[in-house]
Amino acid sequence: MKERPGNIFTFHDEMLLKEDKEKMIKQRAIAIWITGLSGSGKTTIAKILERKLYEKGHLTQLLDGDNVRDGLNNNLGFTAEDRAENIRRIAEVNKLFVQCGVITINCFVSPTTEIRESARRIIGPEHFVEVFVDTPLEICESRDVKGLYKKARNGEIKNFTGIDAPFERPKNPTVIIKTADQTPEESTDQLFDHIYPKIKYA
Ligand code: ADP
């Protein structure tokens, strides 16, 4: 046990490792980071994926704007500073889950390379799987699942990604999903096939 300033003690030497937990629940933990425009299909795919993994006996945690912004991050707004802090906390939560052997599935627009790279850095690049749901803006806008594009076009919402705020396409994502000509099940199967070898306990 090492002593640190401010009477903070660290027990890292005695802590169980990620590998110990993974052995117990028989899976390899990764953080699946799904990025894409609003309405691209992140949440739809994540939910089907989570159920599919559950049916195969895998333990997961889905993280999205709803369960993070309402709780842990309910004191954060949408300034540049708050957006950075939002992602920092989300990434730190991911790190804890992954350390515990749990597979995380993240659904955040995360529109810039900087945001995604900061998440990758915090979680650890070896555990980070970047998934780009590449759905054209016109299709996302025609779906307008939450009516947000309409509001953004009317000027009721400012800085809306794709309308008056940029989305930087990921340069080298592990998986690219093109939902335009696929059913949600087909898109999810494509993702599942990529990630399953990474989580399978051998
Ligand atoms: P996001 O989480 O990215 O904001 P949602 O998952 O909430 O997007 O909404 C995506 C919408 O697109 C849903 O209404 C879904 O049924 C529809 N959709 C059509 N085809 C697909 C597909 N191949 N994958 C995912 N969603 C699709």
Side-chain angles (χ1 to χ4, degrees):
M1 192 167 68
K2 296 179 205 101
E3 197 171 342
R4 294 191 9 220
N7 293 334
I8 297 169
F9 295 90
T10 154
F11 292 87
H12 289 288
D13 295 346
E14 297 104 51
M15 268 167 68
L16 287 168
L17 301 172
K18 176 178 187 273
E19 290 72 24
D20 298 316
K21 314 270 177 85
E22 289 176 334
K23 192 173 174 192
M24 190 170 95
I25 53 179
K26 302 209 168 21
Q27 64 183 26
R28 300 277 176 213
I30 54 170
I32 302 166
W33 191 276
I34 310 179
T35 174
L37 292 169
S38 176
S40 58
K42 300 179 297 297
T43 315
T44 303
I45 293 169
K47 285 180 180 165
I48 304 173
L49 179 70
E50 183 171 51
R51 190 150 290 278
K52 216 171 151 146
L53 290 170
Y54 175 77
E55 280 160 9
K56 289 201 171 280
H58 293 292
L59 188 59
T60 56
Q61 177 65 48
L62 204 155
L63 295 161
D64 64 11
D66 291 343
N67 62 16
V68 172
R69 281 229 178 239
D70 285 354
L72 178 69
N73 290 357
N74 67 5
N75 62 331
L76 299 178
F78 292 89
T79 62
E81 215 173 63
D82 279 6
R83 281 178 195 266
E85 177 60 9
N86 181 45
I87 291 296
R88 189 192 68 79
R89 289 186 201 169
I90 292 166
E92 290 289 352
V93 167
N94 268 268
K95 196 171 159 186
L96 292 173
F97 272 116
V98 168
Q99 191 63 34
C100 197
V102 179
I103 299 154
T104 58
I105 308 172
N106 295 272
C107 309
F108 300 102
V109 175
S110 42
T112 64
T113 304
E114 190 187 339
I115 284 175
R116 296 184 296 264
E117 288 312 304
S118 97
R120 185 195 302 274
R121 215 169 28 248
I122 292 169
I123 296 167
E126 67 281 25
H127 304 132
F128 187 87
V129 177
E130 189 176 18
V131 180
F132 177 27
V133 181
D134 185 10
T135 308
L137 174 66
E138 312 80 74
I139 295 183
C140 296
E141 193 167 357
S142 70
R143 290 177 182 164
D144 210 5
V145 189
K146 298 175 187 158
L148 297 175
Y149 283 98
K150 192 160 178 254
K151 287 189 177 164
R153 290 285 184 200
N154 292 340
E156 288 171 61
I157 305 176
K158 298 275 176 230
N159 296 324
F160 193 74
T161 305
I163 305 296
D164 54 355
F167 180 84
E168 297 170 8
R169 294 170 66 84
K171 292 192 182 74
N172 198 16
T174 313
V175 190
I176 301 177
I177 300 176
K178 301 214 177 248
T179 69
D181 301 314
Q182 289 181 334
T183 64
E185 288 71 23
E186 285 168 341
S187 298
T188 311
D189 284 349
Q190 189 197 334
L191 177 54
F192 181 87
D193 290 346
H194 266 91
I195 58 122
Y196 201 60
K198 296 184 198 296
I199 65 167
K200 207 162 184 293
Y201 194 83

